[in-house]
Amino acid sequence: VDVKSEHSLEEDIEEATAEWRKSIGFGEWIDAVKVDAYTGKKSWSRAIIAQENENTVKLTFENCPEIYDRWVSRNSLEIAPKGCKTKVENKDDSWRSKLMKGSLIDALDTNKVWTNSTVLDNRSSCDYPRGECNMYHSGAEVKVAYRVYDPEGDKEDDVGRYKGWHKRFDEWLPVSSARIAKLNTMAGRKTAQYNPTGEELIDDSEDPEDSELFVVLRPGKCRSRFLIDNVNKFGALEGFEKILARLQSKDNLASLVVVSYLTEFVLKLYALFTRPFAREFIPRFKEALWENLLSAPESHVRNFSKERIDAVLLSLELLLKRAYTLQERNELCDKLHLDISLKCFRSPFLERKIQGVKMIMDIVKTVRYRNARWYTTDHIVNWVSENRFLDSLLAAGSHVQIVQRSTEMLKFFASEKKLDKHSLDLLWAATQKGDEDMK
């Protein structure tokens, strides 16, 4: 008996679905459940994968504003292959088959930004007429350049002046790819990348490799040769090294006020950093800042206001754009956010304790409602266990205001079926205290 024939049809479908879930990636159209931003009503809709990591994907829904974007698990029952849950409209995509060298399109680049682009070439595994592609053939592709040639462009290559990205970022895409759209239908409307300030990305592909340069003139950012010369002189005099030394000083640890000033100073220059210097300096600055904040004494933590912490974290996230991928930035910033929240919670000051709990509950809420950028349920459960957070939260002597703000954590653990006997014992013990408010 053929072992394979013993499998039920349902098992075969589950295996196929599991394989599909692992394979889906950036730029693909799928069916997904859309949650109405105002009524909370759920419905199936078409969505494009705007970001991805090992366990989750971020979805941008067709013809919907950014408020509808959501993160979902790859194993979620609220996603399905394109056309399984929605009626695929018979759209006129004949324009795709006519794409050829010189065609202008909109394309979603690898930084997840829609941009005006140029088709440089096309290819197919079968013998189609030169200069034309059959979009329904799996081998039909176009070579996309994320730039348009313009006499007023701020860059130049062997073809001419252009606006956009260097040729090293050119790539081949299937003609039917969701990352390709008609010219000016997507570019300039919205980006799929998490970008809290809306600042444009920095094109540093043509920066010099000179190790003695720290900053360069950059169109749209700085045209002052005087400023560039003085910042390069500041770097030559080891000014940037002194910033790191100030953050790392153990004898006189910089306060959060000093840290915020130094971070703001670096942020004002980050767009001008040369590519080599940015990739060498920014990781070191991140490590120094991280170590400073997490080793701060109680006298410093007293002044860890949420506004200043949020400002430092946002500035750091912008800096990391020059040295890390989007997924790496999300992971680093989310981890630091959670670590700082825990440090506030463990401080002896009630105001900071409450602030720490609120910050942690905000993170848990994003995970619970599948809006987290990097954290997953397993991340949070493991973190809570490793740091014995529930023990501290419900321990004898906990302030009633802290316990009152912990309900989101308990709801999260209950909804994910992660409340074990130890957690339930802690919860029950908290209800037995004499304080009526605590009960």
Side-chain angles (χ1 to χ4, degrees), residues 98-129:
K98 297 183 174 74
L99 292 177
M100 60 183 66
K101 183 178 181 179
S103 296
L104 297 179
I105 58 174
D106 285 354
L108 189 65
D109 66 24
T110 52
N111 284 309
K112 307 172 186 66
V113 177
W114 285 100
T115 184
N116 293 146
S117 305
T118 305
V119 174
L120 298 182
D121 201 356
N122 51 16
R123 68 185 181 189
S124 178
S125 59
C126 63
D127 190 22
Y128 291 111

Side-chain angles (χ1 to χ4, degrees), residues 4-16:
K4 189 172 183 179
S5 66
E6 296 180 354
H7 289 183
S8 67
L9 177 61
E10 182 178 354
E11 288 174 333
D12 287 337
I13 292 175
E14 288 179 354
E15 290 176 3

Side-chain angles (χ1 to χ4, degrees), residues 15 63 92 127 202 300 359 377 396 435:
E15 290 176 3
N63 300 322
D92 180 15
D127 190 22
I202 308 301
H300 287 190
M359 292 167 70
T377 298
D435 191 328

Side-chain angles (χ1 to χ4, degrees), residues 274-287:
T274 64
R275 182 187 184 114
F277 178 65
R279 296 194 171 188
E280 184 273 333
F281 174 74
I282 290 176
R284 295 170 60 208
F285 182 86
K286 180 264 298 180
E287 290 294 333

